[in-house]
Amino acid sequence: MGYSEYDFLEGYIRFLVSQNLVHANYSDLLIDLEHREMVPIFIAPLSRRGNILKDFISKSEDDLVKAGILQPSRYRAAQEAFVEMAEMSLFPRFDRITKISRALRSNLRHPASEDSDPLKLIIEQPVAED
């Protein structure tokens, strides 16, 4: 793993934890990354907020398929994967993720109304979890 991949991974983990999307001990991960110079095995359950985001992306994907903007596919942009992920099963999802991201960004620029914005659930301050 080169510097750019290592840098991306650290930023990605930092983002997931800072946005409260996963339950992970960032201190332990940081010790592995910084002091031991090791890339940790990173499997973490989604938080309530992470599940809300996953469900929102899945519903948005379903809406885009119903509208004919996306073709149905057995690959989903946000889906659970087996712990032993086959690298080749991830590549077909990249194009789909890009299309959904563009559609959602377009929706953010031109929301139907302020009250009907589904991202409010995600953008609001995180709620403390038990």
Side-chain angles (χ1 to χ4, degrees):
M1 178 182 281
Y3 175 77
S4 62
E5 292 88 1
Y6 178 86
D7 193 45
F8 169 80
L9 182 62
E10 183 178 0
Y12 180 67
I13 293 170
R14 186 183 309 264
F15 172 78
L16 292 174
V17 173
S18 71
Q19 294 301 309
N20 193 26
L21 297 174
V22 297
H23 295 291
N25 186 332
Y26 187 68
S27 298
D28 286 346
L29 294 168
L30 196 57
I31 289 169
D32 284 343
L33 285 168
E34 296 293 324
H35 298 290
R36 297 181 183 145
E37 297 181 1
M38 295 173 23
V39 177
I41 294 175
F42 184 72
I43 300 173
L46 292 176
S47 65
R48 185 174 69 88
R49 185 177 160 108
N51 277 306
I52 290 170
L53 177 60
K54 179 184 64 78
D55 293 345
F56 172 74
I57 292 169
S58 293
K59 183 183 178 322
S60 298
E61 183 175 6
D62 292 341
D63 292 346
L64 291 169
V65 169
K66 286 178 189 171
I69 296 169
L70 281 178
Q71 294 296 316
S73 172
R74 66 183 184 140
Y75 297 106
R76 305 280 297 181
Q79 72 182 38
E80 295 179 34
F82 292 109
V83 172
E84 183 181 18
M85 296 188 316
E87 194 173 303
M88 295 308 292
S89 73
L90 299 176
F91 292 121
R93 294 170 53 193
F94 294 153
D95 183 54
R96 194 166 189 86
I97 291 167
T98 301
K99 289 176 183 174
I100 292 171
S101 174
R102 285 183 185 143
L104 291 175
R105 285 182 184 149
S106 174
N107 186 39
L108 284 175
R109 286 188 216 113
H110 310 289
S113 76
E114 195 172 305
D115 295 333
S116 67
D117 186 1
L119 287 179
K120 274 187 165 182
L121 291 172
I122 299 163
I123 295 173
E124 290 178 339
Q125 292 295 325
V127 178
E129 297 185 33
D130 295 329

